[in-house]
Amino acid sequence: NRIENNVISGNQGGARLNVGPGAGVLIVESKNVVVGGLSQDSGNTITLNAEGVRVVDSESVRIAGNAIGVSFNRASGLGNTGHGIHTERSTNVEVIGGNTIAGNAGDGVAIDEGSTGVRVVGNSIGLFKTGTAAGNAGDGISVNNAIGNTIGANSIAYNRNGVRLADGKATTLSGGNRLVGAEIFGNLGAGVQVDGGAFASIGGTGSSDGNIIRNNAGGGIRIDWSAVSGAPTNHAVQGNSIGTD
């Protein structure tokens, strides 16, 4: 199943079409779905919906090369009123290949409620194509009550927090959430906010694992107690550049 080269409740050439009451793309109890693609003409423009793409109880979904919350040329904001991308209880979801996710009223990407095996790699979150600020009002990427997900090599800027990891209680580092190879800057809160949970990895020992975390108003990395999962335990922070380019 493929969804390619569409304008979904959005804007093309400056013409506002409509504001959608639900998700622009809603994937429920499905397998092997591709939204967009890696070729130049396969991406979708997904704007002015309650959420951009929502994935529920599904597996093997790829979301690539789309403009989510911004115009087709990725130069002006037409944000969705909720999250740009939202996964719930889903596995093996890939958010890859040059999505621009910006200007949304919720999080850029929200990974929720037991989703696992989600990979968010190679995206621009909170920036127009020109590199100017287009932050999501929520977090750039949030992972809530979910483990076994990877965030890597994204540019994440001008959001509330850059990345928020909350209440994911893994039992080993290998089974926890990983944040590697990202550039995180200019966010209004922390570059990385960790609330409770256990066994998340921020950076690593590999040559490309470290994150660059700089110029965030709320600090580089903040690790706090959580009312849901209690005290944070066994998180690993290593190999990052914090406060430097």
Side-chain angles (χ1 to χ4, degrees), residues 36-236:
L38 300 179
S39 65
Q40 183 176 356
D41 297 326
S42 57
N44 302 284
T45 301
I46 305 171
T47 60
L48 298 172
N49 305 285
E51 293 186 308
V53 181
R54 187 176 182 188
V55 183
V56 183
D57 297 319
S58 296
E59 61 180 285
S60 300
V61 176
R62 173 175 287 187
I63 304 167
N66 302 286
I68 301 175
V70 296
S71 59
F72 79 103
N73 62 0
R74 309 185 187 210
S76 60
L78 291 164
N80 299 286
T81 59
H83 303 312
I85 297 171
H86 188 190
T87 74
E88 299 173 89
R89 300 179 303 276
S90 295
T91 60
N92 298 323
V93 178
E94 295 184 308
V95 181
I96 62 170
N99 295 288
T100 298
I101 307 165
N104 301 289
D107 299 337
V109 180
I111 302 168
D112 282 344
E113 292 188 42
S115 293
T116 190
V118 179
R119 296 176 62 244
V120 184
V121 180
N123 305 283
S124 175
I125 300 174
L127 297 158
F128 290 129
K129 185 177 181 180
T130 58
T132 55
N136 299 284
D139 301 320
I141 301 172
S142 67
V143 184
N144 302 290
N145 193 26
I147 60 173
N149 304 290
T150 300
I151 301 166
N154 302 281
S155 294
I156 306 168
Y158 305 116
N159 308 285
R160 180 173 57 195
N161 298 299
V163 175
R164 180 172 178 261
L165 307 175
D167 306 315
K169 297 200 75 170
T171 57
T172 64
L173 281 174
S174 62
N177 296 307
R178 299 179 67 236
L179 171 60
V180 294
E183 184 177 12
I184 304 170
F185 62 95
N187 296 285
L188 300 178
V192 181
Q193 174 72 42
V194 181
D195 294 324
F199 287 105
S201 298
I202 302 168
T205 58
S207 60
S208 60
D209 286 348
N211 302 283
I212 299 172
I213 305 169
R214 58 182 173 84
N215 297 335
N216 299 285
I221 300 173
R222 179 170 176 167
I223 301 176
D224 286 336
W225 183 88
S226 166
V228 175
S229 60
T233 58
N234 295 303
H235 298 306

Side-chain angles (χ1 to χ4, degrees), residues 13-42:
R16 214 172 257 245
L17 300 179
N18 68 293
V19 177
V25 177
L26 176 61
I27 301 167
V28 180
E29 296 181 353
S30 300
K31 295 182 180 180
N32 301 319
V33 180
V34 178
V35 181
L38 300 179
S39 65
Q40 183 176 356
D41 297 326
S42 57

